Amino acid sequence: DTTAAGSAVRKCAGKSLLPDQESVFDTTRSLLAQIRSALVRDELWRAESLARKARQLALSLECR
């Protein structure tokens, strides 16, 4: 899940996004940061849940 979300974020970084897509992009990046923090604290259940959310959001990203 994090690989898919991270890939979508990298693909869209620096691209022109519509306002709603910009919000999805920012939220996905924030979730990826929260996942890293959860993993550092060994909160695997939380990281897994956040990763699912990040992947679902990232799938809706459409970069131009």
Side-chain angles (χ1 to χ4, degrees), residues 2 4-15 17 21-37 50-51 53-55 57-58 61:
T2 55
S7 177
V9 165
R10 284 188 299 278
K11 178 180 162 188
C12 293
K15 302 272 172 89
L17 300 173
Q21 292 293 303
E22 189 71 39
S23 176
V24 170
F25 177 80
D26 291 340
T27 302
T28 303
R29 284 182 49 194
S30 174
L31 285 170
L32 288 169
Q34 291 176 52
I35 292 164
R36 286 189 292 275
S37 294
L50 292 167
K53 290 178 186 178
R55 181 182 51 83
L57 275 176
L61 279 175

